[in-house]
Amino acid sequence: MAVTASTSVLAGLACCLALTVPFGVPAQDAPERVTSDTPEFCLHLLDQVSSIVRDATAPPSAEVTNLSAEGQKMCAHGQTKGGIMRLRRALVLLRSQDAGR
Amino acid sequence: MLPTGGGHGLPSAPDGVGSGDGRGRGEPPPVPETPGSAGPATPDPAGSPLAGSQSADSPLGAEQAGIDPEFPPAAGRHQDPDQAHRLPMFRSAGFRFAAIYAVLLAVSAGSIGYYVWWATAGLLDRQVEAAIGTDWQGLAERWAERDVPGLVQTIDDRLMQNVDDDAIYLLVGPGLHPLAGNLERWPITVQASGPLYELDVSRAGIRSLAMVRSYDLPGGYHLLIGRDVQVRAQLRRLLTDAMLWALVILVALATVGALVVRSLFRRAIANVSATATAIAAGDLGQRVEISGRGDEFDQLAEVINDMLDRIGRLMDGVRQVSNAIAHDLRTPITRARTRLEDAALHAETTDDLRAAIERATQDLDGIVAVFQALLRIAEIEAGSRRAAFTRIDVAPLLADLAELYGAVAEEKGIALETDLPGALPTFGDSTLIQQAVANLLDNAVKFSPAAGTVRLGAALGPTGVAIRVADQGPGIPAGDLDRATQRFFRGEAARHTPGSGLGLTLVQAVAHLHGGSLRLEANPGGGLMAVLSLPLPEDGEQSNRDVTRSPLA
């Protein structure tokens, strides 16, 4: 009796879990490299920030200045991920300021 | 308008069968002893089947000992209460209940688990799909506006502003040459546009998981859009672990719960099963134990006990009627036989023989009348006459009976006084009611002394019609009142009065058939007063509908 009860419970939950299994094709063995976490991308972002600041009619806000400076420093010290994140935020702020004007 | 039914108590059929009301029940009239009559006429040495000579060996004795002679407690019939517990597992109701409990618990828990999964991990998956779809719409518009350069610029902008750092793009030209995006090359596993692919990616040397979808563009271009779902995958893994542990706990709970349910079920029915087994073995005195909780099992036990009580009463009634029939019919049969035998031995003329045969025929007619009365009572008690019920007025019916029995009473020097209202509406069978009242009047006239008074009265009350017949006869002792309506019951005072002891039985059967009652009590002026109560038309109709609809009717 217990075996049957347990089997029915397992079967029921297995069905439920099967319905919710991720629906993608199985992953491959060799991972594809993402290039937006590299120091090159960090420099690319820094160039973009500098370009926008340079072309802007008004000086950037202190927050943008701080973020870009921190990003540049972190990228230079090998903390690429953190640096990229700050430079991205600086870029988003600059774009939003541009859109505001 | 004369009642029918073998002349129960009617002057037109003074056979004495239906009019005995029990107040004269006693020994049958003495059987004349003649040479040669002692053998077959008195088969019971004790003189009566009720003389207490039965032993447990006889069928009757076995019944009185509480053992059904038709079903002796043979070894093959006796079932051990534990035997029910040894049923094959899949035939056991306890197992089925336990399995149903486990399945219901599993389905309930599975439903809740599925909802939790759908509302968490499923939601994350849907969010990823929605984000990719939104991305694709924007990029497709840019492709339509500015072709490849515009798309490259947009992808670059989106990557640079991807604060969440989870976006994955790759635009390739013919030959899968990368033009824009943050993937080094086109993944080999992504072969077709449309399906969502899981993709292992490496972000700054750390392996991660992404969901990507490919879109075909004109000119042999292909666009890959995806999201890094590593955090979501970790969350899903945590959820999966939790669900698996919940599954283990659920299995344990379902198992324990199923065992408990089976145990409770077995315990609940063990009581009923033990009682049924004991009764099947012949112990008719066993009753199902009532726990006192007042739950469904207590209600079932009460119903079963009531049923057993009723069966016991019915068996007692059948036994008593059988005994009474044998006892009461022996006398007229013996008398008839004696007459015929005496005539055969001593008759000297044809007229003597004819007279003896006529007297024997009268005795046999009395026996036939007794059986007719029994059948009549059985028919009434079966309720088959209920279908013929209608709204009737009892008043004219009583007036007719008063006129009829007035003449009979007058011949005996008895006064019949009436107190009848103008209308007495009720719901029933006028013939049966007439027959019942005729039986009461016949008894009253029969047992009233000369110069006595019989009173027939009726009244319409809030609960129905009450018909009273009072006499100044010997009455019925208080101790015999409850038994006076039993078949063949005759009191001591009616020993020498013609009758069979079925008259009041028939009256009571008629009363019960109509949803009414028969009450016997001492007449304040001496004698007996019988009160036949019948319901009002509305109550009678409702009662009739209820009884007709009842499957137990």
Coordinates of all heavy atoms in Angstrom, one line a residue, chain B residues 296-378:
Chain B
E296 N -21.0 10.1 12.3 CA -21.7 9.3 11.3 C -21.7 7.8 11.7 O -22.7 7.1 11.5 CB -21.1 9.5 10.0 CG -21.4 10.8 9.3 CD -20.4 11.9 9.8 OE1 -19.6 11.6 10.7 OE2 -20.4 13.0 9.2
F297 N -20.6 7.4 12.3 CA -20.6 6.0 12.7 C -21.5 5.7 13.8 O -22.1 4.6 13.9 CB -19.1 5.6 13.1 CG -18.2 5.5 11.9 CD1 -17.3 6.5 11.7 CD2 -18.3 4.4 11.0 CE1 -16.4 6.4 10.6 CE2 -17.5 4.3 9.9 CZ -16.5 5.3 9.7
D298 N -21.7 6.6 14.7 CA -22.7 6.4 15.8 C -24.1 6.4 15.2 O -24.9 5.6 15.6 CB -22.6 7.6 16.8 CG -21.6 7.2 18.0 OD1 -21.0 6.1 17.9 OD2 -21.5 8.0 18.9
Q299 N -24.3 7.3 14.2 CA -25.6 7.3 13.6 C -25.9 5.9 12.9 O -27.0 5.4 12.9 CB -25.7 8.4 12.6 CG -25.7 9.8 13.3 CD -25.7 10.9 12.2 OE1 -25.7 10.7 11.0 NE2 -25.7 12.1 12.7
L300 N -24.8 5.5 12.2 CA -25.0 4.2 11.5 C -25.2 3.1 12.6 O -26.1 2.2 12.4 CB -23.7 3.9 10.8 CG -23.6 2.5 10.1 CD1 -24.7 2.4 9.0 CD2 -22.2 2.2 9.5
A301 N -24.5 3.1 13.7 CA -24.7 2.1 14.7 C -26.1 2.2 15.3 O -26.8 1.1 15.5 CB -23.7 2.3 15.9
E302 N -26.6 3.4 15.4 CA -28.0 3.5 16.0 C -29.0 2.9 15.0 O -30.0 2.2 15.3 CB -28.3 5.0 16.2 CG -27.6 5.5 17.5 CD -27.8 7.0 17.6 OE1 -28.5 7.6 16.8 OE2 -27.3 7.6 18.6
V303 N -28.8 3.2 13.7 CA -29.7 2.7 12.7 C -29.6 1.1 12.6 O -30.7 0.5 12.6 CB -29.3 3.2 11.3 CG1 -30.1 2.5 10.2 CG2 -29.6 4.7 11.2
I304 N -28.4 0.6 12.7 CA -28.3 -0.9 12.7 C -29.0 -1.5 13.9 O -29.7 -2.5 13.8 CB -26.8 -1.2 12.6 CG1 -26.2 -0.9 11.2 CG2 -26.6 -2.7 12.9 CD1 -24.8 -1.1 11.1
N305 N -28.7 -0.8 15.1 CA -29.3 -1.4 16.3 C -30.9 -1.3 16.2 O -31.5 -2.2 16.7 CB -28.8 -0.6 17.5 CG -27.4 -0.9 17.8 OD1 -26.9 -2.0 17.4 ND2 -26.7 -0.1 18.6
D306 N -31.4 -0.2 15.7 CA -32.8 -0.1 15.5 C -33.3 -1.2 14.6 O -34.4 -1.8 14.9 CB -33.2 1.3 15.0 CG -33.0 2.4 16.0 OD1 -32.9 2.0 17.2 OD2 -33.0 3.6 15.6
M307 N -32.6 -1.4 13.6 CA -33.0 -2.4 12.6 C -33.0 -3.8 13.3 O -33.9 -4.6 13.1 CB -32.0 -2.4 11.4 CG -32.3 -3.5 10.4 SD -31.0 -3.5 9.2 CE -29.7 -4.3 10.1
L308 N -31.9 -4.1 14.1 CA -31.9 -5.4 14.8 C -33.0 -5.5 15.8 O -33.6 -6.6 15.9 CB -30.5 -5.5 15.5 CG -29.3 -5.6 14.5 CD1 -28.0 -5.6 15.3 CD2 -29.4 -6.9 13.7
D309 N -33.3 -4.4 16.5 CA -34.4 -4.4 17.4 C -35.7 -4.8 16.7 O -36.5 -5.6 17.2 CB -34.6 -3.1 18.2 CG -33.4 -2.9 19.1 OD1 -32.7 -3.9 19.5 OD2 -33.2 -1.7 19.5
R310 N -35.9 -4.1 15.6 CA -37.1 -4.3 14.8 C -37.2 -5.8 14.3 O -38.2 -6.4 14.3 CB -37.2 -3.3 13.6 CG -38.5 -3.5 12.8 CD -38.7 -2.3 11.9 NE -39.7 -2.5 11.0 CZ -41.0 -2.5 11.2 NH1 -41.4 -2.3 12.5 NH2 -41.9 -2.7 10.3
I311 N -36.1 -6.2 13.8 CA -36.0 -7.6 13.3 C -36.4 -8.6 14.5 O -37.1 -9.5 14.4 CB -34.7 -8.0 12.8 CG1 -34.5 -7.2 11.4 CG2 -34.5 -9.5 12.6 CD1 -33.1 -7.4 10.8
G312 N -35.8 -8.3 15.7 CA -36.1 -9.1 16.8 C -37.6 -9.1 17.2 O -38.2 -10.1 17.5
R313 N -38.2 -7.9 17.1 CA -39.6 -7.8 17.4 C -40.4 -8.5 16.4 O -41.4 -9.2 16.7 CB -40.0 -6.3 17.5 CG -39.6 -5.6 18.7 CD -40.3 -4.3 18.9 NE -40.2 -3.4 17.8 CZ -39.2 -2.5 17.7 NH1 -38.3 -2.4 18.7 NH2 -39.1 -1.7 16.7
L314 N -40.0 -8.4 15.1 CA -40.8 -9.1 14.1 C -40.7 -10.6 14.3 O -41.7 -11.3 14.1 CB -40.2 -8.7 12.7 CG -40.6 -7.3 12.3 CD1 -39.8 -7.0 11.0 CD2 -42.1 -7.1 12.0
M315 N -39.5 -11.0 14.6 CA -39.3 -12.5 14.9 C -40.1 -13.0 16.0 O -40.8 -14.0 16.0 CB -37.8 -12.8 15.1 CG -37.0 -12.7 13.8 SD -35.3 -13.2 14.0 CE -35.5 -14.9 14.3
D316 N -40.2 -12.1 17.1 CA -41.0 -12.5 18.2 C -42.5 -12.5 17.8 O -43.2 -13.4 18.3 CB -40.8 -11.4 19.4 CG -39.4 -11.6 20.0 OD1 -38.8 -12.7 19.8 OD2 -39.0 -10.7 20.7
G317 N -42.9 -11.5 17.0 CA -44.2 -11.5 16.6 C -44.6 -12.7 15.7 O -45.7 -13.3 15.9
V318 N -43.7 -13.0 14.8 CA -44.0 -14.2 14.0 C -44.1 -15.4 14.8 O -45.0 -16.3 14.6 CB -42.8 -14.3 12.9 CG1 -42.9 -15.7 12.2 CG2 -42.9 -13.2 11.9
R319 N -43.2 -15.5 15.8 CA -43.2 -16.7 16.7 C -44.5 -16.7 17.5 O -45.1 -17.8 17.6 CB -42.0 -16.6 17.6 CG -41.7 -17.9 18.4 CD -40.5 -17.7 19.3 NE -39.3 -17.4 18.6 CZ -38.6 -16.3 18.8 NH1 -38.9 -15.5 19.7 NH2 -37.5 -16.1 18.0
Q320 N -44.9 -15.6 18.0 CA -46.1 -15.5 18.8 C -47.3 -15.8 18.0 O -48.2 -16.6 18.4 CB -46.2 -14.1 19.4 CG -47.4 -13.9 20.3 CD -48.5 -13.1 19.7 OE1 -48.2 -12.2 18.8 NE2 -49.7 -13.3 20.1
V321 N -47.4 -15.3 16.7 CA -48.5 -15.5 15.9 C -48.6 -17.0 15.5 O -49.6 -17.6 15.5 CB -48.4 -14.6 14.6 CG1 -49.4 -15.1 13.6 CG2 -48.7 -13.2 15.0
S322 N -47.4 -17.6 15.2 CA -47.4 -19.0 14.8 C -47.9 -19.8 15.9 O -48.7 -20.7 15.7 CB -46.0 -19.4 14.4 OG -45.5 -18.6 13.4
N323 N -47.5 -19.5 17.1 CA -47.9 -20.3 18.3 C -49.4 -20.1 18.5 O -50.2 -21.1 18.7 CB -47.2 -19.8 19.5 CG -45.7 -20.2 19.5 OD1 -45.3 -21.0 18.7 ND2 -44.9 -19.6 20.3
A324 N -49.9 -18.8 18.3 CA -51.3 -18.6 18.6 C -52.2 -19.2 17.5 O -53.2 -19.8 17.8 CB -51.5 -17.0 18.5
I325 N -51.7 -19.2 16.3 CA -52.5 -19.9 15.2 C -52.6 -21.4 15.5 O -53.7 -22.0 15.5 CB -51.8 -19.7 13.8 CG1 -52.0 -18.2 13.4 CG2 -52.4 -20.6 12.8 CD1 -51.2 -17.9 12.1
A326 N -51.5 -22.0 15.8 CA -51.5 -23.4 16.1 C -52.4 -23.7 17.3 O -53.2 -24.6 17.4 CB -50.1 -23.9 16.4
H327 N -52.3 -22.8 18.3 CA -53.1 -23.0 19.6 C -54.6 -22.8 19.3 O -55.4 -23.6 19.7 CB -52.6 -22.0 20.6 CG -53.2 -22.2 22.0 ND1 -54.4 -21.7 22.3 CD2 -52.8 -23.0 23.0 CE1 -54.6 -22.0 23.6 NE2 -53.7 -22.8 24.0
D328 N -54.9 -21.7 18.6 CA -56.3 -21.4 18.5 C -57.1 -22.2 17.4 O -58.3 -22.4 17.5 CB -56.5 -19.9 18.1 CG -56.3 -19.0 19.3 OD1 -55.6 -19.5 20.2 OD2 -56.9 -17.9 19.3
L329 N -56.3 -22.7 16.5 CA -57.0 -23.5 15.4 C -57.2 -25.0 15.8 O -57.9 -25.7 15.2 CB -56.2 -23.4 14.1 CG -56.2 -22.0 13.5 CD1 -55.6 -22.1 12.1 CD2 -57.6 -21.4 13.4
R330 N -56.4 -25.3 16.8 CA -56.5 -26.7 17.2 C -57.9 -27.1 17.8 O -58.4 -28.1 17.5 CB -55.4 -27.0 18.3 CG -55.3 -28.5 18.6 CD -54.4 -28.7 19.8 NE -54.9 -28.0 21.0 CZ -54.4 -28.1 22.2 NH1 -53.3 -28.9 22.3 NH2 -54.9 -27.5 23.2
T331 N -58.4 -26.1 18.5 CA -59.7 -26.4 19.1 C -60.8 -26.6 18.1 O -61.5 -27.6 18.2 CB -60.1 -25.2 20.1 OG1 -59.1 -25.2 21.1 CG2 -61.4 -25.5 20.7
P332 N -61.1 -25.7 17.2 CA -62.2 -25.9 16.2 C -61.9 -27.1 15.3 O -62.8 -27.9 15.0 CB -62.2 -24.6 15.4 CG -61.0 -23.9 15.7 CD -60.5 -24.4 17.0
I333 N -60.6 -27.4 15.0 CA -60.3 -28.5 14.1 C -60.6 -29.8 14.9 O -61.3 -30.8 14.4 CB -58.9 -28.5 13.7 CG1 -58.7 -27.4 12.7 CG2 -58.5 -29.8 13.1 CD1 -57.2 -27.2 12.3
T334 N -60.2 -29.8 16.2 CA -60.5 -31.0 17.0 C -62.0 -31.2 17.2 O -62.5 -32.3 17.1 CB -59.8 -30.8 18.4 OG1 -58.4 -30.6 18.2 CG2 -60.0 -32.0 19.3
R335 N -62.7 -30.1 17.4 CA -64.1 -30.1 17.6 C -64.8 -30.7 16.3 O -65.7 -31.6 16.4 CB -64.7 -28.8 17.9 CG -66.2 -28.8 18.3 CD -66.7 -27.4 18.5 NE -66.0 -26.6 19.5 CZ -65.4 -25.4 19.2 NH1 -65.5 -24.9 18.0 NH2 -64.8 -24.8 20.1
A336 N -64.4 -30.2 15.2 CA -65.0 -30.7 13.9 C -64.7 -32.2 13.7 O -65.6 -33.0 13.4 CB -64.5 -29.9 12.7
R337 N -63.5 -32.6 14.0 CA -63.1 -34.0 13.9 C -63.9 -34.8 14.8 O -64.4 -35.9 14.4 CB -61.6 -34.1 14.2 CG -61.1 -35.6 14.0 CD -59.7 -35.8 14.5 NE -59.3 -37.1 14.3 CZ -59.7 -38.2 15.0 NH1 -60.6 -38.0 16.0 NH2 -59.3 -39.4 14.8
T338 N -64.1 -34.4 16.0 CA -64.8 -35.1 17.0 C -66.3 -35.3 16.6 O -66.9 -36.4 16.7 CB -64.8 -34.4 18.4 OG1 -63.4 -34.2 18.7 CG2 -65.5 -35.2 19.4
R339 N -66.9 -34.2 16.1 CA -68.3 -34.3 15.6 C -68.4 -35.3 14.5 O -69.3 -36.1 14.5 CB -68.7 -32.9 15.1 CG -68.9 -31.9 16.2 CD -69.6 -30.6 15.6 NE -69.3 -29.4 16.3 CZ -69.9 -29.1 17.5 NH1 -70.7 -29.9 18.0 NH2 -69.6 -28.0 18.1
L340 N -67.5 -35.2 13.6 CA -67.6 -36.2 12.4 C -67.4 -37.6 12.9 O -68.1 -38.5 12.5 CB -66.6 -35.8 11.4 CG -66.8 -34.4 10.7 CD1 -65.6 -34.1 9.8 CD2 -68.1 -34.5 9.9
E341 N -66.4 -37.8 13.8 CA -66.2 -39.1 14.2 C -67.3 -39.7 15.0 O -67.8 -40.8 14.9 CB -64.9 -39.1 15.1 CG -64.4 -40.5 15.5 CD -63.1 -40.4 16.3 OE1 -63.1 -39.5 17.2 OE2 -62.2 -41.2 16.1
D342 N -67.9 -38.8 15.9 CA -69.0 -39.2 16.7 C -70.2 -39.6 15.8 O -70.9 -40.5 16.1 CB -69.4 -38.1 17.7 CG -70.5 -38.5 18.6 OD1 -70.3 -39.5 19.3 OD2 -71.5 -37.8 18.6
A343 N -70.4 -38.7 14.8 CA -71.5 -39.0 13.9 C -71.3 -40.3 13.2 O -72.3 -41.1 13.0 CB -71.7 -37.8 12.9
A344 N -70.1 -40.5 12.7 CA -69.8 -41.8 12.0 C -70.1 -43.0 12.9 O -70.5 -44.0 12.4 CB -68.3 -41.7 11.5
L345 N -69.8 -42.8 14.2 CA -70.0 -44.0 15.1 C -71.4 -44.2 15.6 O -71.9 -45.3 15.8 CB -69.0 -43.9 16.2 CG -67.5 -44.0 15.9 CD1 -66.6 -43.7 17.1 CD2 -67.2 -45.4 15.4
H346 N -72.0 -43.0 15.8 CA -73.3 -43.1 16.6 C -74.5 -42.6 15.8 O -75.6 -42.7 16.3 CB -73.2 -42.3 17.9 CG -72.1 -42.8 18.7 ND1 -70.9 -42.1 18.9 CD2 -71.9 -43.9 19.5 CE1 -70.1 -42.8 19.7 NE2 -70.7 -43.9 20.1
A347 N -74.4 -41.9 14.7 CA -75.5 -41.4 14.0 C -76.4 -42.6 13.5 O -75.9 -43.6 13.0 CB -75.1 -40.5 12.8
E348 N -77.7 -42.4 13.7 CA -78.6 -43.5 13.3 C -79.4 -43.1 12.1 O -79.9 -44.0 11.4 CB -79.5 -43.8 14.5 CG -78.8 -44.3 15.7 CD -79.7 -44.5 16.9 OE1 -80.9 -44.1 16.8 OE2 -79.3 -45.1 17.9
T349 N -79.5 -41.8 11.8 CA -80.3 -41.4 10.6 C -79.4 -40.5 9.8 O -78.4 -40.0 10.2 CB -81.5 -40.7 11.1 OG1 -81.1 -39.5 11.7 CG2 -82.4 -41.5 12.0
T350 N -80.0 -40.3 8.6 CA -79.3 -39.4 7.7 C -79.3 -38.0 8.2 O -78.4 -37.2 8.0 CB -80.0 -39.4 6.3 OG1 -80.1 -40.8 5.9 CG2 -79.2 -38.6 5.3
D351 N -80.4 -37.6 8.8 CA -80.5 -36.2 9.4 C -79.4 -36.0 10.4 O -78.9 -34.9 10.5 CB -81.9 -36.0 10.0 CG -82.9 -35.9 8.9 OD1 -82.5 -35.7 7.7 OD2 -84.1 -36.1 9.1
D352 N -79.2 -37.1 11.3 CA -78.2 -36.9 12.3 C -76.8 -36.7 11.6 O -76.0 -35.8 12.0 CB -78.1 -38.2 13.1 CG -79.3 -38.3 14.0 OD1 -80.0 -37.3 14.2 OD2 -79.5 -39.4 14.6
L353 N -76.5 -37.4 10.6 CA -75.3 -37.2 9.9 C -75.2 -35.9 9.2 O -74.1 -35.2 9.3 CB -75.1 -38.3 8.7 CG -74.6 -39.7 9.2 CD1 -74.6 -40.6 8.0 CD2 -73.2 -39.5 9.7
R354 N -76.3 -35.4 8.6 CA -76.2 -34.1 7.9 C -76.0 -33.0 9.0 O -75.2 -32.1 8.8 CB -77.5 -33.9 7.2 CG -77.5 -32.6 6.4 CD -78.7 -32.4 5.5 NE -78.7 -33.3 4.4 CZ -79.5 -34.4 4.2 NH1 -80.4 -34.6 5.0 NH2 -79.3 -35.2 3.1
A355 N -76.7 -33.2 10.1 CA -76.5 -32.1 11.2 C -75.1 -32.1 11.7 O -74.5 -31.0 11.9 CB -77.5 -32.4 12.3
A356 N -74.5 -33.3 11.9 CA -73.1 -33.3 12.3 C -72.2 -32.7 11.3 O -71.2 -31.9 11.6 CB -72.7 -34.8 12.6
I357 N -72.4 -32.9 10.0 CA -71.6 -32.3 9.0 C -71.7 -30.8 8.9 O -70.8 -30.1 8.8 CB -71.9 -33.0 7.6 CG1 -71.5 -34.4 7.6 CG2 -71.3 -32.2 6.4 CD1 -72.0 -35.2 6.3
E358 N -73.0 -30.4 9.1 CA -73.2 -28.9 9.1 C -72.4 -28.2 10.3 O -71.8 -27.2 10.1 CB -74.7 -28.6 9.2 CG -75.4 -28.9 7.9 CD -76.9 -28.6 8.0 OE1 -77.3 -28.3 9.1 OE2 -77.6 -28.8 7.0
R359 N -72.5 -28.9 11.4 CA -71.8 -28.3 12.6 C -70.2 -28.3 12.3 O -69.5 -27.3 12.7 CB -72.1 -29.0 13.8 CG -73.5 -28.8 14.4 CD -73.7 -29.3 15.8 NE -73.6 -30.7 15.9 CZ -74.6 -31.6 15.7 NH1 -75.8 -31.1 15.5 NH2 -74.4 -32.8 15.9
A360 N -69.8 -29.4 11.8 CA -68.3 -29.4 11.5 C -68.0 -28.4 10.4 O -66.9 -27.7 10.5 CB -68.0 -30.8 10.9
T361 N -68.9 -28.2 9.5 CA -68.6 -27.1 8.4 C -68.5 -25.8 9.1 O -67.7 -24.9 8.7 CB -69.7 -27.2 7.4 OG1 -69.8 -28.5 6.8 CG2 -69.4 -26.2 6.3
Q362 N -69.4 -25.5 10.0 CA -69.4 -24.2 10.7 C -68.0 -24.0 11.4 O -67.4 -22.9 11.4 CB -70.5 -24.1 11.7 CG -71.9 -24.0 11.1 CD -73.0 -24.0 12.1 OE1 -72.8 -24.1 13.3 NE2 -74.2 -23.9 11.6
D363 N -67.6 -25.1 12.1 CA -66.2 -25.0 12.7 C -65.2 -24.7 11.7 O -64.3 -23.8 12.0 CB -65.9 -26.3 13.4 CG -66.8 -26.5 14.7 OD1 -67.2 -25.5 15.2 OD2 -67.0 -27.7 15.1
L364 N -65.2 -25.4 10.6 CA -64.2 -25.1 9.6 C -64.3 -23.7 9.0 O -63.3 -23.1 8.6 CB -64.3 -26.2 8.5 CG -63.9 -27.6 8.9 CD1 -64.1 -28.6 7.8 CD2 -62.5 -27.7 9.4
D365 N -65.6 -23.2 8.8 CA -65.8 -21.9 8.4 C -65.1 -20.8 9.3 O -64.5 -19.8 8.9 CB -67.3 -21.5 8.3 CG -67.9 -22.2 7.0 OD1 -67.1 -22.6 6.1 OD2 -69.1 -22.3 7.0
G366 N -65.2 -21.2 10.6 CA -64.5 -20.3 11.6 C -63.0 -20.2 11.3 O -62.4 -19.2 11.4
I367 N -62.5 -21.4 11.0 CA -61.0 -21.4 10.7 C -60.7 -20.6 9.5 O -59.7 -19.8 9.5 CB -60.5 -22.9 10.6 CG1 -60.8 -23.7 11.8 CG2 -59.1 -22.9 10.1 CD1 -60.6 -25.2 11.7
V368 N -61.5 -20.8 8.5 CA -61.3 -20.0 7.3 C -61.4 -18.5 7.6 O -60.6 -17.7 7.1 CB -62.3 -20.4 6.2 CG1 -62.2 -19.5 5.0 CG2 -62.1 -21.9 5.8
A369 N -62.4 -18.1 8.4 CA -62.5 -16.7 8.7 C -61.3 -16.2 9.5 O -60.9 -15.0 9.3 CB -63.8 -16.6 9.6
V370 N -60.7 -17.0 10.3 CA -59.5 -16.6 11.0 C -58.4 -16.3 10.0 O -57.7 -15.2 10.1 CB -59.1 -17.6 12.0 CG1 -57.7 -17.3 12.5 CG2 -60.0 -17.7 13.2
F371 N -58.2 -17.2 9.1 CA -57.2 -16.9 8.1 C -57.5 -15.7 7.2 O -56.6 -14.9 6.9 CB -57.0 -18.2 7.2 CG -56.2 -19.2 7.8 CD1 -56.7 -20.4 8.3 CD2 -54.8 -19.0 8.1 CE1 -55.9 -21.4 8.9 CE2 -54.0 -19.9 8.7 CZ -54.6 -21.2 9.1
Q372 N -58.8 -15.5 6.9 CA -59.2 -14.3 6.1 C -58.8 -13.1 6.9 O -58.3 -12.1 6.4 CB -60.6 -14.4 5.8 CG -61.0 -15.4 4.6 CD -62.4 -15.4 4.4 OE1 -63.3 -15.1 5.2 NE2 -62.8 -15.9 3.2
A373 N -59.1 -13.1 8.2 CA -58.8 -12.0 9.0 C -57.3 -11.7 9.1 O -56.9 -10.5 9.0 CB -59.4 -12.1 10.4
L374 N -56.5 -12.7 9.2 CA -55.1 -12.6 9.2 C -54.6 -12.0 7.9 O -53.7 -11.1 7.9 CB -54.4 -13.9 9.5 CG -54.5 -14.5 10.9 CD1 -54.0 -15.9 11.0 CD2 -53.7 -13.6 11.8
L375 N -55.1 -12.5 6.8 CA -54.7 -12.0 5.5 C -55.1 -10.5 5.4 O -54.4 -9.7 4.8 CB -55.3 -12.8 4.4 CG -54.7 -14.2 4.3 CD1 -55.5 -15.0 3.2 CD2 -53.3 -14.2 3.9
R376 N -56.3 -10.2 5.9 CA -56.8 -8.8 5.8 C -55.9 -7.9 6.6 O -55.5 -6.8 6.1 CB -58.2 -8.8 6.4 CG -58.9 -7.4 6.3 CD -59.3 -7.1 5.0 NE -60.2 -6.0 4.9 CZ -60.4 -5.3 3.8 NH1 -59.8 -5.7 2.7 NH2 -61.3 -4.3 3.8
I377 N -55.5 -8.3 7.8 CA -54.6 -7.5 8.6 C -53.3 -7.3 7.9 O -52.7 -6.2 7.8 CB -54.4 -8.1 10.0 CG1 -55.8 -8.0 10.7 CG2 -53.3 -7.4 10.8 CD1 -55.8 -8.9 12.0
A378 N -52.8 -8.4 7.3 CA -51.5 -8.4 6.6 C -51.6 -7.4 5.5 O -50.6 -6.6 5.2 CB -51.1 -9.8 6.2

